[in-house]
Amino acid sequence: YCKVSGRNNKLFYTPDMNDIYNDVLLLEGDIRKALYHDEFELFYQPQINVENGEVIGLEALIRWNHPKKGNIPPSKFIPVAEESGLINQIGKWVINEACMQHVEWVNQGHDPIRIAVNISAIELQQFDFADQVTRIIEETKMDPTYLEIEITENSVMQNTEDCIRTMNTLRDMGVSLSIDDFGTGYSSFGYLRKFPINYLKIDQSFIRNALSEPSDAEIVKAMIQLGHTFGLKVVAEGVEEQNILALLREQKCDYYQGYFFSKPVPACDLESVVYGKMS
Ligand code: C2E
Ligand code: CA
Ligand code: CA
Ligand code: CA
């Protein structure tokens, strides 16, 4: 929790820090309730083939409509969930929900489409993570080749060897894996060598500035080449303008996501947005 080191190596708490600490505690309690009362929802954002404009997948993003506080963004509650361990339960809910939705769409007669879910590195460190995914796949009857897991590194990954074993088990099941927010935080070059991944997602901070900052354009270019060198498909995130798309096409980036095509939308709207555009 919120320790501040003071003089003489004593630790003390400032009033502000106490407030933050209380907020976090309250939020933690609210997350528990939200899981129990089913307050979470998944929105879906299409992933598009840069070359031909086809929808090739969806990313599921969690939304929380708090009964009193309204929408709380994932950037606010995911870190708290990670800190408290509740992220494991959220993750199970997310995978289950995405699989059920996939099966529902297929049952309605739509062509199956790949769905990517976000998983924190912390979740991957659970010894039985692959078993959990297996169970969900069996229960929902989801075809695992349409499931993708995006791994985000918010902290240094511990037990890397165990995580790689888990990743290999998932790959053997037919699940695909991607490294999210590549180029930021802890996600680094070493992962490209060590991890059995399929996709590299370039963080939107680089994409957004690629037109105005020549150095960011160079970084994007280098990342695309790097991904391809490792046999990965490269996804650009946060594409908001046509001009960026042109740049990505020039650099042979495989896929993109962003407001330019669509914001993340609830499942009911997606049917017209994506399946409408596809057919
Ligand atoms: P992320 O995985 O990098 O997701 C991309 C974020 O960028 C999403 O924010 C998305 O709504 C937003 N975005 C997409 N296109 C654009 C664009 O063109 N412009 C801009 N400005 N933003 C765009 P969101 O949904 O608020 O999620 C934030 C982060 O929270 C995610 O970043 C992810 O790290 C985390 N997160 C979201 N859902 C989950 C989840 O189910 N589980 C876990 N563990 N983390 C999640
Ligand atoms: Ca993601
Ligand atoms: Ca990302
Ligand atoms: Ca992110």
Side-chain angles (χ1 to χ4, degrees), residues 154-169:
N154 293 326
S155 55
V156 175
M157 194 179 276
Q158 267 142 36
N159 311 320
T160 316
E161 293 307 314
D162 293 342
C163 286
I164 292 172
R165 199 169 312 129
T166 298
M167 289 185 211
N168 279 321
T169 308

Side-chain angles (χ1 to χ4, degrees), residues 154-189:
N154 293 326
S155 55
V156 175
M157 194 179 276
Q158 267 142 36
N159 311 320
T160 316
E161 293 307 314
D162 293 342
C163 286
I164 292 172
R165 199 169 312 129
T166 298
M167 289 185 211
N168 279 321
T169 308
L170 292 166
R171 281 290 301 271
D172 289 347
M173 287 158 59
V175 174
S176 40
L177 301 175
S178 46
I179 287 292
D180 206 347
D181 300 347
F182 189 76
T184 67
Y186 295 86
S187 105
S188 70
F189 293 117

Side-chain angles (χ1 to χ4, degrees), residues 48-111:
I48 317 300
N49 183 322
V50 169
E51 206 175 277
N52 61 19
E54 271 175 29
V55 176
I56 54 93
L58 303 171
E59 177 178 2
L61 293 151
I62 198 165
R63 294 292 177 264
W64 181 9
N65 192 359
H66 189 284
K68 292 205 189 78
K69 295 172 194 160
N71 284 324
I72 303 181
S75 56
K76 199 160 173 205
F77 69 86
I78 293 291
V80 176
E82 287 180 340
E83 197 68 31
S84 61
L86 287 167
I87 193 68
N88 295 334
Q89 276 162 270
I90 292 181
K92 267 193 250 181
W93 180 86
V94 167
I95 299 171
N96 190 62
E97 182 69 21
C99 290
M100 285 199 309
Q101 185 62 68
H102 177 92
V103 170
E104 192 181 316
W105 278 325
V106 171
N107 288 343
Q108 286 168 358
H110 296 301
D111 288 341

Side-chain angles (χ1 to χ4, degrees), residues 97-162:
E97 182 69 21
C99 290
M100 285 199 309
Q101 185 62 68
H102 177 92
V103 170
E104 192 181 316
W105 278 325
V106 171
N107 288 343
Q108 286 168 358
H110 296 301
D111 288 341
I113 186 164
R114 189 161 40 76
I115 297 190
V117 294
N118 288 283
I119 289 299
S120 313
I122 294 173
E123 297 177 62
L124 201 68
Q125 287 166 36
Q126 301 167 88
F127 75 97
D128 65 341
F129 183 74
D131 291 341
Q132 291 176 28
V133 176
T134 308
R135 210 169 309 132
I136 293 170
I137 281 169
E138 281 169 6
E139 277 169 17
T140 58
K141 304 194 166 56
M142 160 93 169
D143 176 347
T145 59
Y146 289 101
L147 181 64
E148 177 186 340
I149 292 181
E150 295 188 2
I151 302 159
T152 306
E153 281 283 277
N154 293 326
S155 55
V156 175
M157 194 179 276
Q158 267 142 36
N159 311 320
T160 316
E161 293 307 314
D162 293 342

Side-chain angles (χ1 to χ4, degrees), residues 216-279:
D216 279 340
E218 284 304 316
I219 290 173
V220 168
K221 189 174 154 186
M223 283 183 179
I224 295 169
Q225 284 172 3
L226 185 70
H228 288 163
T229 303
F230 280 87
L232 308 173
K233 294 286 186 192
V234 180
V235 186
E237 297 190 305
V239 175
E240 295 183 357
E241 312 169 48
Q242 177 81 58
N243 290 346
I244 301 271
L245 187 55
L247 187 145
L248 294 172
R249 194 171 286 133
E250 209 178 276
Q251 300 303 333
K252 304 258 184 299
C253 186
D254 301 282
Y255 309 129
Y256 79 93
Q257 268 177 268
Y259 295 170
F260 178 68
F261 185 87
S262 169
K263 288 195 170 186
V265 294
C268 54
D269 292 352
L270 199 84
E271 289 179 48
S272 59
V273 173
V274 177
Y275 290 118
K277 283 188 190 180
M278 278 167 75
S279 53

